[in-house]
Amino acid sequence: MQDTSVVDTQIHKISSLAGYQQSLNHLLVDSVNNGASIGFIAPLTRAQADHYWHSIECDLLNDSRELFVITEGSEVIGAVQLALCQKANGAHRGEVEKLMVHSQYQGQGFAKQLMHTLEKSALQQQLKLLVLDTRLGDIASLLYEKLGYIEAGEIPQFALSSSGELQSTVLFYKLLYAPLSH
């Protein structure tokens, strides 16, 4: 049995994938191939992961997305993204996307740490609303509820699963408020 105790983790906001590409590919492939419903069908190949991260690099460069990673040493063990609304009437909101923690590190609070970091950044940018969606019945729903996200509703037959069935998604939102000054 592999020891997965983590002694030295750090969360970074990264603005370029340089130096992270291989590790992010590994995280994405691990997440999808272990059942995460994050927009891909398993089995996910390295080439598909490469293509995906290339598109994210473009969003990072034009400041339409933020990427937060948690690392142990030089290895990315978790990530989450904040997509910033580019519409004039939506500059106050963002979308939480692709919350992932490597299967060997799940259950240690890293997803919660990533979400707190993302929310802190959203507040610093004076965002007022965060939205996200997750597969109906997914364990992530419990985390989102614990973090104060409110279920807004369910959309049936939203996403095709790796097994070929159509699955529902649940929409969540959270209104953000800056802490009161004393």
Side-chain angles (χ1 to χ4, degrees), residues 4 20 32 44 46 56 77 80 109 116-117 120 124 127 142 150 155-156:
T4 58
Y20 293 97
V32 171
L44 186 69
R46 294 274 179 187
I56 295 305
I77 62 171
V80 68
H116 283 309
T117 301
K120 183 178 178 183
Q124 289 171 345
L127 297 185
L142 299 174
I150 298 168
I155 303 173

Side-chain angles (χ1 to χ4, degrees), residues 10-14 20 24 67-71 76 78-79 114:
Q10 295 183 338
I11 296 181
H12 312 274
K13 176 182 167 187
I14 60 174
Y20 293 97
L24 285 166
L67 174 59
F68 302 92
V69 298
I70 189 164
T71 58
V76 175
L114 285 163

Side-chain angles (χ1 to χ4, degrees), residues 21-157:
Q21 181 77 41
Q22 183 176 345
S23 190
L24 285 166
N25 280 351
H26 181 69
L27 174 65
L28 182 60
V29 169
D30 173 78
S31 296
V32 171
N33 292 346
N34 280 291
S37 179
I38 52 176
F40 301 93
I41 301 291
L44 186 69
T45 66
R46 294 274 179 187
Q48 291 169 313
D50 261 340
H51 179 75
Y52 170 73
W53 288 116
H54 176 72
S55 70
I56 295 305
E57 178 82 12
C58 294
D59 288 350
L60 293 174
L61 293 174
N62 71 24
D63 294 324
S64 63
R65 176 177 309 272
E66 294 183 339
L67 174 59
F68 302 92
V69 298
I70 189 164
T71 58
E72 180 186 27
S74 62
E75 196 66 26
V76 175
I77 62 171
V80 68
Q81 298 172 43
L82 175 60
L84 303 167
C85 186
Q86 300 302 299
K87 299 173 185 169
N89 71 347
H92 66 286
R93 70 177 184 256
E95 184 170 357
V96 178
E97 296 182 351
K98 308 280 188 286
L99 176 61
M100 300 177 273
V101 175
H102 192 281
S103 60
Q104 292 180 338
Y105 296 92
Q106 291 177 0
Q108 298 182 45
F110 297 127
K112 185 177 182 180
Q113 290 176 37
L114 285 163
M115 289 296 291
H116 283 309
T117 301
L118 178 145
E119 289 176 9
K120 183 178 178 183
S121 177
L123 279 169
Q124 289 171 345
Q125 296 175 69
Q126 299 181 344
L127 297 185
K128 306 291 185 215
L129 172 68
L130 292 178
V131 296
L132 61 88
D133 71 276
T134 190
R135 174 179 49 205
L136 178 66
D138 200 275
I139 194 160
S141 295
L142 299 174
L143 170 68
Y144 299 135
E145 289 171 356
K146 285 180 184 176
L147 294 175
Y149 286 78
I150 298 168
E151 184 177 323
E154 178 183 324
I155 303 173
Q157 300 183 20

